[in-house]
Amino acid sequence: MNIKLKENKDFDIEIILVKSIKDCNKADKKLLKNSGFKASEGETFFVGKILYVGTNKLKNEDLKIAFANAIKAISKTKYTDIKVPLINKNKELNIKDITEGLLLGGYVFNNYKSKREERLINIFIDTKASKYKKSDLQKELNETIAICDSVNLVRDIINTTPEDFTPLTMVEKAKEISFENALENKIFTEEYLKENGMNAMLAVGRASRHESQLIHLTYKPKNAKGKIVLVGKGLTYDCGGLSLKSSEGMVSMKCDKSGASAVLGIMNTLNAISCEYEVHGIIGAVENMIGGDAYKPDDVLVAKNGKTIEVRNTDAEGRLVLADCLCYAQDEIKDIDYIFDLATLTGACIVGLGEYTTGVMGHNDKLKKRLDKAAKNSGELVGFLPYNRYLPAMIKSNIADITNSASSRSGGAITASLFLDNFIKDENKKNWLHLDIAGAAYREKVWGYNPYGATGAGVRLILEFMKNQK
Ligand code: BES
Ligand code: ZN
Ligand code: ZN
């Protein structure tokens, strides 16, 4: 899709948003009424050169969803040149919302279809009579396109099958992104993990035919305002290991690389948003498989910081990978301002907050409030899960320092986060937030402007947080 700020006389279709039938052109009302069009959310109707799109409101998420519905209706036709009047019935629409709706709502993943029709759609946003300067509108458009391109890149990565996207593919993608964006990149293989005592991460990947990879990308602007560290869970497949998942539980576990993929997507956008922070993206790319060499329930692992972990469930593997990656991050990077980890960590998070919401946990309520604000501006959904003094007892081990599987399933998202807390240094406790994106990252259904499959959760949220820190 090609989006431009331009008046175009030769368009095929013009998109008009309507809150009720009253907003439609006089001449079309009768036809629309007779056909049962009510202008409610999700409704679209072509009349001549107009596509009427029903919506509740003309801003924010409603607007994005309306444009997602518009582009879906258009993609079923042969039309290619689309006019979007920025002023819709006297109200100026927001460029960012329009663009997100079109680009995120228009995404389709058809890389595995034998027949795919590809048609370039041109969108002309007519900015005539806008109250803003054309250059400001253009800047807003460029930034939003960069963000949406990254979200869609992340979706592509996550939707790619585990056979086609292995830890090594993650390395290739990371290198590609670092070259395109002039980022520093460091790649470490299992030899490094062994030499540096990253035994928890090593154990998870041991039965895979793909070597585990530790990836570290760095974005360094001049006179950086501070440092942000992002750590992503990159399980290119999670079958559960010897604590094997059920057949149903295993389907869609290609999504277990969503945290890492989001980190890549964010790193891919920092130049475009002129991020003023130094940003580090750290990824543990690992495949959790079974085999004679698999790590086992009953094993005790020694993590990079020396803590011992009793393995009671090999399906609680994400926290083992993250434990060592968090240690690596804090050993290598000093004076961290914020450290966020993103992970499809627990099914319990989906049970607790529902399918669409990212679970956020940490020790700093002020920081949580700031992330909440970023979430509201970005359109991503977050919910906060609380720690308390009693829960840490659930991950105590009788033979090691802690166990990777809590004594009961209840509060599973929180106990997973408390496990990670064991690998956060005291000086970083207040800087750290854990984001469990298990529900938000991947659904086998369409919701709003999110497609079937991967959503790209985390990208817009963290980028918005960074923008507000300016
Ligand atoms: N990758 C899963 C979590 C998950 C579940 C992500 C559903 C996306 C959708 C994770 O590694 C896992 O299996 N967690 C276990 C932890 C348990 C064994 C303590 C879970 O949630 O059941
Ligand atoms: Zn698992
Ligand atoms: Zn997992």
Side-chain angles (χ1 to χ4, degrees), residues 88 188 231 247 308 314 355:
N88 190 95
F188 303 106
V231 180
S247 322
T308 59
T314 61
E355 296 192 319

Side-chain angles (χ1 to χ4, degrees), residues 1-5 80 82 102-103 119-125 141 145:
M1 201 181 311
N2 202 335
I3 305 181
K4 284 205 173 88
L5 301 183
T80 55
I82 313 301
L102 292 170
L103 289 177
R119 193 164 45 95
L120 183 66
I121 295 180
N122 299 305
I123 309 279
F124 303 100
I125 302 180
L141 176 67
I145 291 176

